[in-house]
Amino acid sequence: MKNKQNFFTDNPDIAYHMSPKRMNELFAWMSDAEKEALGVSTAEEYRKMWLDIGQVVGEFSGTTLENNNQKVAKEDLKLENGEVIFPKTIKENVRVFNEMGGPGMSIRSEFGGMNAPFMVELAGFETIYRACPSTALNVCWYGSIATVIDQFGSQELKDEWIPKIATGEVSGSMSLTEPDVGSDLAGMRTYAEEQGDGTWLVNGNKQFISNGCGEISLVLAMNQKGAKGLKAINLYLVPRKVNGKNNYEIAKIEEKPGLHGSATCALKFEKSVGYLIGENGKGFHYMLHLMNEARLGVAFQALGVMEACYRLSRDYAQQREAWGKPIAKHEMIAERLYDMEVELKAFRSLCYRAAHYISLITLGDRRLEEGNLPEGKREEIISKLDYYKRKLREWTPLVKWWGGERAYVYARNAVQIHGGYGFTTEYKAEWWLRESLILSIYEGTSEIQSLMVIKDTVKDIMNNPKDFVEITVGSRVMALAEKDWLMRRYFKMRQTFNLALVSIFFKLVKTKVKSKFSADKPADLMKLLKLIGPELVKFDNLSPALLHAGRIAEMKAILAIAHSVIKDAERDESFRYAAERFVNKNGPIMAQIKAQIDMDDDYFQEQILGEKEEMAKAANSDS
């Protein structure tokens, strides 16, 4: 007998984060036409509508997908005559999702969609990822592909493709990665040549393309053969078929340890007809928009995986007995389960905060395009958007990094708690381990996220050195002034983070400056930052900073998650235990990471990194 569950209603934290306050803010930035299209006249009606839809998606996830996920894992995809053949279970999952109206959830109503905030769509996808990641990767592309076409494409492209995406008739992919190129987009070899009729012919190869069998692909390519650099990159909409014939070839389906129901394809473009999206030379900018949404989507995928692994572990531990009691009552297992629950609650807090901001950004940008917007409202939106965009840029690599790194740990915990059973295919723990492996890799590896974090962090400090010095020296005072011990500990963690950055700055200049600096003296810190400035402009002496990029990303993620769950605890006492445990657990971890940064390993620096630098110099001279 099939189990009936609802993955939305059984997790009250999701509805909590779709709070009346957040929905009021979104409703306030909607146009009258958008409200009329949805048939809502108050923020309360608006919120209730999305909560009701969340329950529908939650039942689909908890019942249909949950009951089918092991069939999906065992039924292989096939490539026959250039077409990907999906087995019946995954086809049925996608069919039901399309009949529910899922493809059009975040698409604007004028194109046949529901105009849902991105936060609402991601809330639904959290439940889908929790049930069946393969199905999620077959249906998550509708809204994201349509959004890029809507924001940057011509009216002709919008009218032709977005309504078809909204019904599920057309699905898509984004083709960025190339063989032997990876994340170095400036070195891509795929190119396009403009034709006299306004089309472009695309040539090249793409690899590891999720849902590469979709009816259209957004292809990143140089704007002419032999072009180099990010400013030569364009984004093209390339239909898979033109006049009933293949426009590009699906050359291969990758064999993977997990996500067996998702087609990861190698694509070959040979004079493939494409249509330029937006302006010539702006493709990298458009791609960043798509990637940022995708990275936030991976964070929600991580939430789903972590939720599934936590519940699987908890339920097994509660019914498995050893020495006269459930293993959930044994101290080490109990603590592991408790920390899984706490971290998940805290991480979800930051993810939904980021999702709320990206939803406000979408609405705000849309309002600013209106010619009849009152000046006062325009100024209010511009002021708030600046803050939202800065915070979203800060948080996106953090939630992608944390989710990618920690989802695997949750899956590994599930295997461990299941003991010997966890290493068998009879139980789901090993399946979740395989499903979790990709999260730290696709849509930008954890290392790429770390590099984004360290570069943005250093850039912000160089732009506002006085603020950094005041926070570094003043956090101790702020900690003493706080009445709430939880905030005092948070400020201590923040000071630990800033002192770790100071340690990196010392390393950047120690080979060239003999003076001694004190991190407790504002004048010394300002002098240090001024000395680093020229070095950072050159970007030829950043090895000490780049070496610790992953550590800085982890520390910054801990701070962001801690602050977010503390703020939720201030509004709702039920979050207090999670905030306290997360801070208490991670305060010592912050100190440990700082100690690793403080440590000098001369052999590694001189022999390992030095050797690589010599090799790089030799390669540059040869070229």
Side-chain angles (χ1 to χ4, degrees):
M1 189 175 81
K2 292 185 176 181
N3 293 321
K4 289 196 70 175
Q5 302 176 79
N6 191 309
F7 283 178
F8 185 86
T9 57
D10 76 353
N11 188 348
D13 280 1
I14 299 178
Y16 168 84
H17 289 299
M18 295 168 61
S19 65
K21 180 178 183 296
R22 285 179 175 164
M23 287 303 181
N24 286 345
E25 291 173 344
L26 293 170
F27 187 78
W29 279 16
M30 289 174 63
S31 68
D32 291 339
E34 288 170 336
K35 295 173 185 176
E36 184 178 355
L38 289 176
V40 294
S41 56
T42 67
E44 184 179 358
E45 291 177 354
Y46 182 65
R47 179 174 186 259
K48 183 180 184 305
M49 179 185 71
W50 296 124
L51 291 178
D52 289 344
I53 289 175
Q55 291 186 32
V56 173
V57 178
E59 183 175 348
F60 166 67
S61 302
T63 303
T64 301
L65 298 187
E66 176 67 13
N67 286 317
N68 286 343
N69 57 26
Q70 294 309 290
K71 292 181 182 178
V72 170
K74 292 178 174 63
E75 296 174 350
D76 291 330
L77 308 178
K78 297 178 181 178
L79 182 61
E80 296 180 358
N81 300 319
E83 296 289 333
V84 175
I85 308 300
F86 285 90
K88 63 178 183 179
T89 306
I90 196 77
K91 286 173 66 176
E92 178 65 11
N93 288 350
V94 174
R95 183 192 66 78
V96 175
F97 180 82
N98 291 353
E99 283 190 356
M100 289 166 46
M105 185 172 288
S106 63
I107 293 174
R108 285 199 289 159
S109 53
E110 65 184 86
F111 296 113
M114 301 172 66
N115 206 19
F118 195 43
M119 178 179 69
V120 170
E121 185 174 61
L122 287 175
F125 274 116
E126 180 190 341
T127 71
I128 295 175
Y129 286 126
R130 174 181 160 190
C132 184
S134 283
T135 297
L137 286 183
N138 278 276
V139 301
C140 70
W141 298 104
Y142 295 115
S144 57
I145 298 297
T147 296
V148 172
I149 298 172
D150 190 12
Q151 291 198 347
F152 306 115
S154 66
Q155 191 62 45
E156 183 179 3
L157 288 177
K158 295 179 189 181
D159 292 339
E160 180 176 1
W161 294 105
I162 298 180
K164 296 176 183 177
I165 297 173
T167 62
E169 177 187 349
V170 167
S171 181
S173 64
M174 56 179 185
S175 294
L176 311 180
T177 305
E178 295 185 8
D180 303 318
V181 174
S183 299
D184 183 13
L185 297 179
M188 72 169 59
R189 293 182 288 271
T190 300
Y191 68 94
E193 296 177 323
E194 188 172 8
Q195 305 300 296
D197 61 357
T199 63
W200 295 66
L201 296 184
V202 180
N203 298 274
N205 297 282
K206 297 291 183 178
Q207 193 173 16
F208 307 136
I209 308 305
S210 298
N211 201 42
C213 55
E215 287 73 22
I216 59 175
S217 189
L218 302 187
V219 182
L220 213 62
M222 294 296 177
N223 57 12
Q224 59 183 316
K225 187 175 184 179
K228 299 290 183 182
L230 299 178
K231 293 183 179 179
I233 294 176
N234 280 346
L235 187 63
Y236 302 94
L237 187 154
V238 184
R240 191 161 64 86
K241 293 184 181 293
V242 174
N243 297 326
K245 296 181 179 180
N246 286 338
N247 189 33
Y248 56 85
E249 178 187 354
I250 302 175
K252 178 186 177 184
I253 301 178
E254 302 290 349
E255 295 287 340
K256 311 186 297 289
L259 298 175
H260 286 162
S262 168
T264 304
C265 303
L267 306 179
K268 183 178 180 180
F269 299 88
E270 190 170 353
K271 294 185 177 180
S272 303
V273 176
Y275 303 89
L276 179 66
I277 292 180
E279 299 178 33
N280 194 350
K282 293 290 186 67
F284 181 71
H285 168 73
Y286 305 147
M287 182 279 302
L288 287 179
H289 179 90
L290 184 60
M291 287 295 290
N292 285 336
E293 285 197 359
R295 286 166 177 170
L296 191 53
V298 173
F300 275 78
Q301 181 177 352
L303 280 177
V305 172
M306 293 161 78
E307 184 73 41
C309 292
Y310 164 64
R311 290 180 183 247
L312 186 71
S313 303
R314 181 197 63 188
D315 294 347
Y316 179 81
Q318 287 175 346
Q319 59 87 25
R320 171 77 165 90
E321 290 196 359
W323 295 288
K325 60 182 178 181
I327 64 171
K329 297 296 184 181
H330 291 279
E331 288 79 3
M332 287 186 288
I333 301 297
E335 184 181 40
R336 187 174 298 207
L337 290 171
Y338 183 55
D339 282 333
M340 290 172 75
E341 175 191 347
V342 162
E343 181 184 335
L344 180 55
K345 196 176 189 74
F347 180 49
R348 182 177 286 113
S349 178
L350 181 60
C351 287
Y352 275 85
R353 198 174 299 272
H356 177 54
Y357 279 11
I358 197 173
S359 302
L360 286 167
I361 290 167
T362 300
L363 284 171
D365 284 342
R366 200 177 291 166
R367 292 291 78 76
L368 293 179
E369 293 176 0
E370 297 175 357
N372 59 348
L373 189 67
E375 191 58 32
K377 188 70 173 179
R378 179 177 296 276
E379 291 176 359
E380 173 202 338
I381 290 175
I382 290 174
S383 173
K384 290 183 177 180
L385 279 183
D386 179 64
Y387 173 76
Y388 295 149
K389 289 179 179 179
R390 281 190 288 109
K391 296 306 293 184
L392 188 65
R393 181 181 176 93
E394 175 188 343
W395 291 339
T396 298
L398 298 179
V399 295
K400 168 63 171 73
W401 187 94
W402 190 270
E405 293 294 313
R406 298 299 297 173
Y408 168 78
V409 174
Y410 271 60
R412 172 69 180 80
N413 283 344
V415 172
Q416 185 69 23
I417 289 171
H418 278 72
Y421 293 113
F423 200 61
T424 69
T425 57
E426 181 182 355
Y427 288 73
K428 283 185 178 180
E430 63 83 27
W431 173 67
W432 278 116
L433 189 67
R434 289 185 283 111
E435 297 295 279
S436 71
L437 290 171
I438 189 61
L439 272 69
S440 64
I441 298 172
Y442 66 5
E443 312 304 351
T445 64
S446 293
E447 288 73 23
I448 293 295
Q449 308 311 308
S450 299
L451 291 175
M452 289 178 61
V453 170
I454 191 71
K455 289 183 178 180
D456 277 357
T457 300
V458 173
K459 181 180 177 182
D460 288 343
I461 292 171
M462 291 300 104
N463 288 336
N464 302 284
K466 186 177 179 182
D467 289 348
F468 175 76
V469 171
E470 289 178 350
I471 291 173
T472 303
V473 179
S475 286
R476 187 180 296 122
V477 177
M478 294 171 71
L480 293 173
E482 276 289 336
K483 294 181 180 179
D484 187 346
W485 66 265
L486 189 57
M487 282 304 295
R488 290 200 298 271
R489 291 191 182 179
Y490 167 77
F491 281 123
K492 184 177 180 181
M493 290 165 63
R494 191 170 72 166
Q495 187 175 43
T496 300
F497 171 70
N498 279 17
L499 290 174
L501 289 170
V502 171
S503 180
I504 291 174
F505 294 156
F506 284 157
K507 295 175 190 294
L508 288 173
V509 300
K510 75 173 186 176
T511 58
K512 299 188 178 183
V513 180
K514 302 303 180 183
S515 304
K516 290 186 178 181
F517 296 90
S518 171
D520 293 325
K521 296 180 180 179
D524 278 12
L525 285 180
M526 285 298 295
K527 183 179 178 182
L528 176 66
L529 295 179
K530 289 178 181 178
L531 285 170
I532 316 179
E535 298 300 320
L536 290 174
V537 173
K538 295 175 188 175
F539 273 85
D540 62 357
N541 191 31
L542 279 180
S543 182
L546 301 183
L547 173 62
H548 297 295
R551 296 182 178 99
I552 291 300
E554 182 174 1
M555 295 180 82
K556 201 167 184 179
I558 288 171
L559 280 176
I561 294 169
H563 188 263
S564 187
V565 72
I566 288 172
K567 289 302 175 184
D568 279 332
E570 290 175 354
R571 286 185 287 271
D572 189 323
E573 186 64 27
S574 68
F575 280 78
R576 180 75 185 192
Y577 79 95
E580 290 181 359
R581 177 70 177 187
F582 188 84
V583 168
N584 286 338
K585 187 85 174 182
N586 284 282
I589 292 175
M590 294 278 285
Q592 182 184 32
I593 298 172
K594 180 183 178 297
Q596 293 172 359
I597 292 173
D598 291 341
M599 178 187 67
D600 285 319
D601 188 333
D602 293 336
Y603 182 87
F604 176 78
Q605 290 285 348
E606 295 171 9
Q607 300 299 319
I608 307 300
L609 292 182
E611 180 179 286
K612 289 183 178 180
E613 289 172 4
E614 291 302 318
M615 291 171 63
K617 290 178 183 178
N620 290 333
S621 63
D622 290 343
S623 61

